[in-house]
Amino acid sequence: MASSSTTLAGSAASDLLRSTTTGFTGVPLRTLGRVGLVLKRRDLTVSAKLRKVKKKEYPWPANPDPNVKGGVLSHLSPFKPLKEKPKPVTLDFEKPLVDLQKKIIEVRKMANETGLDFSDQILLLETKYDQALKDLYTHLTPIQRVNIARHPNRPTFLDHIFNITEKFVELHGDREGYDDPAIVTGIGTIDGRSYMFIGHQKGRNTKENIQRNFGMPTPHGYRKALRLMQYADHHGFPIVTFIDTPGAYADLKSEELGQGEAIAYNLRAMFGLKVPIVSIVIGEGGSGGALAIGCGNKLLMLENAVFYVASPEACAAILWKSSKAAPKAAEKLKITAPELCKLEVADGIIPEPLGGAHADPSWTSQQIKIAINEAMDELTKMNTEDLLKDRMLKFRKLGGFQEGIPLDPKKKRNMKKKDIPVAPKISDSELGVEIEKLKQKILEGKESSSSEPPKLDLDEMIKKLEKEVNQEFSEAVKALGLTERLSKLQDEISKANADNQSIDPLLTDKIEKLKADFNQGLSAAPNSGRLQKKRDMLRELTKAKLLTDRSKEAATLKQELKKKFDDVMNNPRIKENYKALQSEIQRVRASASSDLDDELKKKIIEFNKEVDSQLANALKASGLDVQLVKPGRDSNKSSVPEIEELNKDVVQKEIDILANSSTSIKSMIEQLKLEVARAGGKPDSESKNRIETLTQQIKQSLAEAVAEAVASSSLKEKPENLVSGDGSLKKEGPTGDSLTDDELREKVGANRNFS
């Protein structure tokens, strides 16, 4: 022992701290080689306190019941019917219905207590309740549909599965050590056909929601879904996915485990699966958490389900810095089933009962079953190549884009959206002064003899007045309390236009009733005087613009006719023949057509026919329709039918312009067409009365508009320019001399209709 202790004492510190391969610490190897190691025995006591932990329940029970419905494998699903009926939950917008329900209950209680007959009152209240329920659920706003999709009593994925399948076996685990309860997978049969079902599972109460993590999956859940999708692809099972999640679980642990990678991998893998995939949104589908099991051939949505990239509250917090703007965000995001079908994101809508899916879960499940069968009947007819192409094209067609168009460098540099400056409001006095100046310019343009009219800012002034009138109109509607009715009507009209439907007579009646109520109460609005004054200004300026446009058209047509006639008369052969005829007329010294001999008259008629033919061809080449009218025998009366034909053509053109430019006349014509089409070949008395009333209104409006137009200078301008002082048609020949009536009637063809 002495030598041993001496050796230990003389050893280096590093040798004492070095470990041996045999597990002893602090003893040098060379010492062990020289002497034996003697250890002193001590009495040691080791005690450990075990912490109680909850034992993890294995999905298979210890003593499974062999007679359980669905077979022994149904023990793998921990989902069981609730022992207690869920408590009714009333949403904010449903409170008026609750009041009606309370009244019905009170009346029934009173009838039971007093023994009196209140059946009529109860029936009236029930009818009123049914109508209120129908009106409420047929005009839901987007945020109301969001609230219904999040309803606590809304049926979950497994509720629907056990309602629509004959057999269902739940499959667990991602083969990486965890079974995410927020995503449920399993094989089931519908009408004898086997499917792989995958879906988000929310809880039906607080305890289940905590267990299911409120339907928000972790990466383990998406990897479990991927494993079972690949299993279904290998064995040829069609896949049906149910989407009902606010989004993937976004905690730190999920991000560490690769949440984004798991979602992205699912997206890529689903596009390569060779079996049909149908995705159904039964509640809310949020962001990539929903899309990770939603890349299918068909995307169907329940009527009150929503599908969004960001929740309305999150969008409102980003854009408007307040979650209180969620209703506005829900409207702008276009997240409801009807809107997504219009955008071709969703392929169909599955109906729900009035009150939402929670009002009748079994009926809703049967509608889902019908939709699955219809979609699978269509998809199973495709071969594998067409199926993959169909799935790819479904997502490729989403959105609108253009390729190959270079971006403007200036736009590329300044991609940030600039704030548009709001134009200051114009006072009534300033507006009046500007309009008076504009009127003065118009009058000066009429009085001036110059061919080029002065430049007027009519379009700009009309736009200003339209903005002012719209603003005054909105203030009047708000003051009369008609804003809500007007917005509902606008929604119904836009929906009818989007669906390419004809306007419903009931909708037309609503529009007319709203007009009548507005006109009746307009005098009570504080801004009625300003509105009327600005409307009159707008009407006056619109008429002035219409007359100016017509004057320009008439001047253009006049110049075109003159140019065509000059081109024909400047033809060398025509000019030579004209000069020859003129010299012959001067040689015989004829003062009237009766002084000409038959041969010369024949030459003049042939010359006129040639001029007519060339002029007609030139006008037809310009796109003008020419109709030749033979002249009458009496040359003195020849100018009368010519002017009548010209006036008739001009007036008809003016009537068409007035009918198309007047909004009221155009709407009445559309209503008349609708009534005639609806009546068909055998209209009833009521339809006849409506058609006759509309016809009389159109005639009266057209008569008033035409009377105003006839009084203007636009209808008189063409005849006045073509007729000389003595009533004969006026036109100059190639030499500048005036032609006689007989010559001009045959040459110019003023008795033709140009259209």
Side-chain angles (χ1 to χ4, degrees):
M1 288 295 294
S3 61
S4 175
S5 59
T6 304
T7 306
L8 289 172
S11 301
S14 59
D15 290 335
L16 294 173
L17 295 174
R18 190 178 296 119
S19 298
T20 64
T21 55
T22 55
F24 297 100
T25 303
V27 180
L29 291 174
R30 58 177 179 271
T31 305
L32 291 175
R34 294 174 185 173
V35 295
L37 180 63
V38 179
L39 298 177
K40 189 175 181 181
R41 183 178 177 183
R42 295 180 181 177
D43 295 330
L44 298 175
T45 304
V46 179
S47 63
K49 187 177 182 182
L50 296 176
R51 182 169 60 89
K52 290 184 179 180
V53 295
K54 185 177 180 181
K55 185 180 179 182
K56 184 171 178 61
E57 295 180 0
Y58 194 72
W60 193 283
N63 298 312
D65 183 6
N67 299 319
V68 71
K69 183 181 177 182
V72 181
L73 292 178
S74 63
H75 286 292
L76 288 173
S77 176
F79 186 84
K80 298 293 183 291
L82 289 175
K83 297 179 181 178
E84 298 178 358
K85 192 176 180 181
K87 295 180 181 179
V89 177
T90 304
L91 302 175
D92 291 338
F93 66 91
E94 293 178 326
K95 287 180 180 177
L97 298 176
V98 176
D99 296 337
L100 280 173
Q101 279 182 329
K102 286 181 180 178
K103 287 181 182 178
I104 294 171
I105 293 170
E106 288 174 2
V107 173
R108 282 179 177 167
K109 186 177 180 182
M110 190 184 300
N112 292 332
E113 290 176 354
T114 59
L116 299 175
D117 185 13
F118 289 101
S119 57
D120 293 340
Q121 288 82 353
I122 292 172
L123 182 62
L124 182 65
L125 286 171
E126 287 178 345
T127 306
K128 194 174 180 181
Y129 174 81
D130 293 338
Q131 186 61 38
L133 181 67
K134 185 178 179 181
D135 292 342
L136 182 64
Y137 273 85
T138 51
H139 299 92
L140 289 170
T141 62
I143 195 64
Q144 289 172 346
R145 291 191 188 274
V146 173
N147 292 331
I148 295 172
R150 296 171 176 172
H151 199 285
N153 297 338
R154 193 171 177 86
T156 63
F157 162 56
L158 286 174
D159 287 317
H160 292 304
I161 286 297
F162 286 112
N163 282 337
I164 66 178
T165 58
E166 296 92 22
K167 294 180 181 178
F168 178 73
V169 177
E170 185 177 344
L171 303 176
H172 297 267
D174 63 345
R175 296 297 185 267
E176 293 184 16
Y178 191 74
D179 180 28
D180 190 351
I183 282 190
V184 174
T185 59
I187 299 175
T189 59
I190 298 178
D191 295 338
R193 290 196 288 188
S194 298
Y195 299 99
M196 176 64 73
F197 294 100
I198 301 170
H200 301 99
Q201 177 64 26
K202 286 184 177 179
R204 296 166 292 180
N205 50 40
T206 306
K207 183 180 178 181
E208 282 191 9
N209 268 321
I210 294 171
Q211 180 190 353
R212 300 281 183 180
N213 201 25
F214 294 86
M216 294 185 289
T218 61
H220 295 284
Y222 293 120
R223 288 172 181 137
K224 175 169 74 170
L226 177 64
R227 180 179 74 83
L228 271 302
M229 282 191 283
Q230 290 171 342
Y231 177 87
D233 185 48
H234 178 74
H235 292 283
F237 293 135
I239 300 171
V240 182
T241 65
F242 287 73
I243 298 171
D244 186 17
T245 179
Y249 192 49
D251 68 329
L252 182 61
K253 188 68 175 175
S254 296
E255 295 299 326
E256 290 175 353
L257 294 174
Q259 183 74 282
E261 184 270 344
I263 293 173
Y265 199 88
N266 277 27
L267 298 180
R268 186 183 71 177
M270 288 188 77
F271 281 100
L273 299 177
K274 300 180 181 62
V275 293
I277 305 174
V278 175
S279 301
I280 304 171
V281 185
I282 59 174
E284 55 178 338
S287 190
L291 201 59
I293 61 170
C295 296
N297 297 90
K298 296 280 185 184
L299 177 67
L300 308 176
M301 295 182 69
L302 285 181
E303 188 178 348
N304 295 317
V306 290
F307 197 54
Y308 49 73
V309 68
S311 66
E313 293 82 5
C315 178
I318 295 168
L319 297 181
W320 290 282
K321 310 301 180 186
S322 172
S323 59
K324 292 181 180 179
K328 186 177 180 181
E331 185 178 354
K332 298 292 183 184
L333 284 170
K334 309 291 184 188
I335 58 177
T336 59
E339 293 289 348
L340 291 172
C341 280
K342 288 178 188 177
L343 297 172
E344 297 185 355
V345 174
D347 299 297
I349 300 174
I350 302 173
E352 293 185 26
L354 286 176
H358 54 279
D360 194 347
S362 298
W363 187 87
T364 308
S365 298
Q366 293 308 309
Q367 300 304 310
I368 293 175
K369 180 179 178 180
I370 293 169
I372 291 173
N373 285 333
E374 290 178 355
M376 286 299 177
D377 288 341
E378 179 185 348
L379 295 174
T380 49
K381 294 177 183 177
M382 299 183 183
N383 56 38
T384 303
E385 185 178 351
D386 292 339
L387 196 69
L388 293 172
K389 188 176 180 181
D390 174 75
R391 195 179 307 152
M392 182 268 293
L393 291 177
K394 170 181 169 50
F395 287 87
R396 287 288 292 174
K397 71 180 180 181
L398 297 182
F401 57 90
Q402 289 180 317
E403 293 182 353
I405 300 176
L407 190 64
D408 184 15
K410 186 175 180 181
K411 288 185 178 179
K412 196 171 183 180
R413 288 195 304 270
N414 305 318
M415 294 297 286
K416 188 176 179 182
K417 197 173 181 180
K418 295 182 179 179
D419 296 331
I420 301 172
V422 181
K425 186 176 174 62
I426 306 171
S427 63
D428 295 344
S429 58
E430 291 177 358
L431 198 61
V433 170
E434 288 188 22
I435 290 174
E436 288 299 327
K437 288 180 181 178
L438 202 56
K439 286 182 183 178
Q440 191 65 30
K441 284 185 181 180
I442 294 171
L443 290 174
E444 289 174 1
K446 286 183 178 179
E447 293 173 358
S448 64
S449 58
S450 60
S451 59
E452 187 175 346
K455 293 183 179 179
L456 303 174
D457 297 332
L458 267 174
D459 293 337
E460 186 178 350
M461 181 55 67
I462 287 172
K463 286 181 181 178
K464 283 183 183 178
L465 269 175
E466 283 177 351
K467 288 181 181 178
E468 293 290 326
V469 169
N470 288 336
Q471 191 171 356
E472 296 291 346
F473 177 77
S474 301
E475 290 180 9
V477 168
K478 189 176 181 181
L480 296 175
L482 302 174
T483 308
E484 188 174 354
R485 286 176 60 187
L486 179 63
S487 62
K488 285 183 179 179
L489 271 178
Q490 288 173 342
D491 292 341
E492 291 181 17
I493 293 170
S494 62
K495 185 177 181 182
N497 292 335
D499 298 338
N500 294 324
Q501 298 176 353
S502 58
I503 298 178
D504 189 51
L506 295 175
L507 185 58
T508 307
D509 294 340
K510 287 182 182 179
I511 294 170
E512 294 300 327
K513 190 175 180 182
L514 181 61
K515 283 183 182 177
D517 293 344
F518 176 76
N519 293 329
Q520 185 178 359
L522 183 59
S523 57
N527 64 330
S528 59
R530 295 197 306 273
L531 176 59
Q532 189 62 37
K533 184 179 177 182
K534 290 178 181 178
R535 284 172 67 182
D536 293 340
M537 291 178 182
L538 180 60
R539 193 179 294 113
E540 193 173 350
L541 286 186
T542 306
K543 287 182 181 178
K545 184 178 184 301
L546 189 62
L547 294 175
T548 305
D549 293 342
R550 288 175 191 156
S551 299
K552 290 179 181 178
E553 288 179 7
T556 305
L557 182 60
K558 179 181 173 183
Q559 290 176 1
E560 188 176 354
L561 287 172
K562 186 177 182 303
K563 184 181 177 184
K564 293 295 179 186
F565 180 75
D566 291 342
D567 291 342
V568 171
M569 296 305 293
N570 288 328
N571 189 311
R573 190 165 58 84
I574 297 290
K575 188 185 289 187
E576 185 180 352
N577 293 339
Y578 177 77
K579 287 181 179 180
L581 284 174
Q582 196 175 29
S583 61
E584 286 190 33
I585 293 170
Q586 289 175 358
R587 181 175 54 81
V588 298
R589 296 180 181 180
S591 59
S593 59
S594 58
D595 298 337
L596 301 173
D597 55 4
D598 293 339
E599 187 178 353
L600 189 55
K601 283 182 179 179
K602 189 176 180 182
K603 287 182 179 180
I604 292 172
I605 290 171
E606 292 296 331
F607 175 76
N608 290 337
K609 284 183 179 179
E610 187 179 359
V611 173
D612 280 344
S613 176
Q614 291 199 18
L615 184 60
N617 291 334
L619 293 174
K620 284 181 179 178
S622 301
L624 295 172
D625 188 15
V626 181
Q627 181 181 358
L628 293 176
V629 180
K630 291 183 179 180
R633 291 182 181 178
D634 191 354
S635 61
N636 295 326
K637 296 180 181 179
S638 62
S639 62
V640 177
E642 294 160 2
I643 295 172
E644 286 178 355
E645 286 292 330
L646 187 59
N647 273 326
K648 182 180 178 182
D649 176 53
V650 175
V651 169
Q652 184 61 42
K653 190 175 180 183
E654 296 295 328
I655 289 172
D656 294 339
I657 292 172
L658 288 170
N660 290 325
S661 61
S662 174
T663 309
S664 59
I665 296 175
K666 198 172 180 180
S667 64
M668 284 191 287
I669 291 172
E670 291 296 330
Q671 289 181 18
L672 180 61
K673 289 180 182 177
L674 185 64
E675 288 293 339
V676 172
R678 191 180 289 111
K682 297 180 180 179
D684 54 9
S685 58
E686 188 177 353
S687 297
K688 285 182 180 179
N689 292 335
R690 285 200 297 266
I691 291 170
E692 289 176 3
T693 304
L694 281 171
T695 306
Q696 293 298 328
Q697 290 176 356
I698 292 169
K699 285 181 179 179
Q700 186 178 356
S701 301
L702 274 175
E704 293 174 359
V706 170
E708 291 180 6
V710 169
S712 67
S713 61
S714 62
L715 286 178
K716 298 177 182 177
E717 186 172 351
K718 291 179 186 177
E720 288 172 357
N721 289 333
L722 296 175
V723 180
S724 62
D726 58 353
S728 62
L729 291 171
K730 178 176 64 178
K731 199 71 181 179
E732 293 184 354
T735 59
D737 301 328
S738 296
L739 301 174
T740 62
D741 288 347
D742 292 333
E743 293 169 340
L744 190 62
R745 184 180 64 248
E746 298 295 335
K747 287 184 176 65
V748 182
N751 51 354
R752 304 183 183 97
N753 292 329
F754 301 101
S755 61

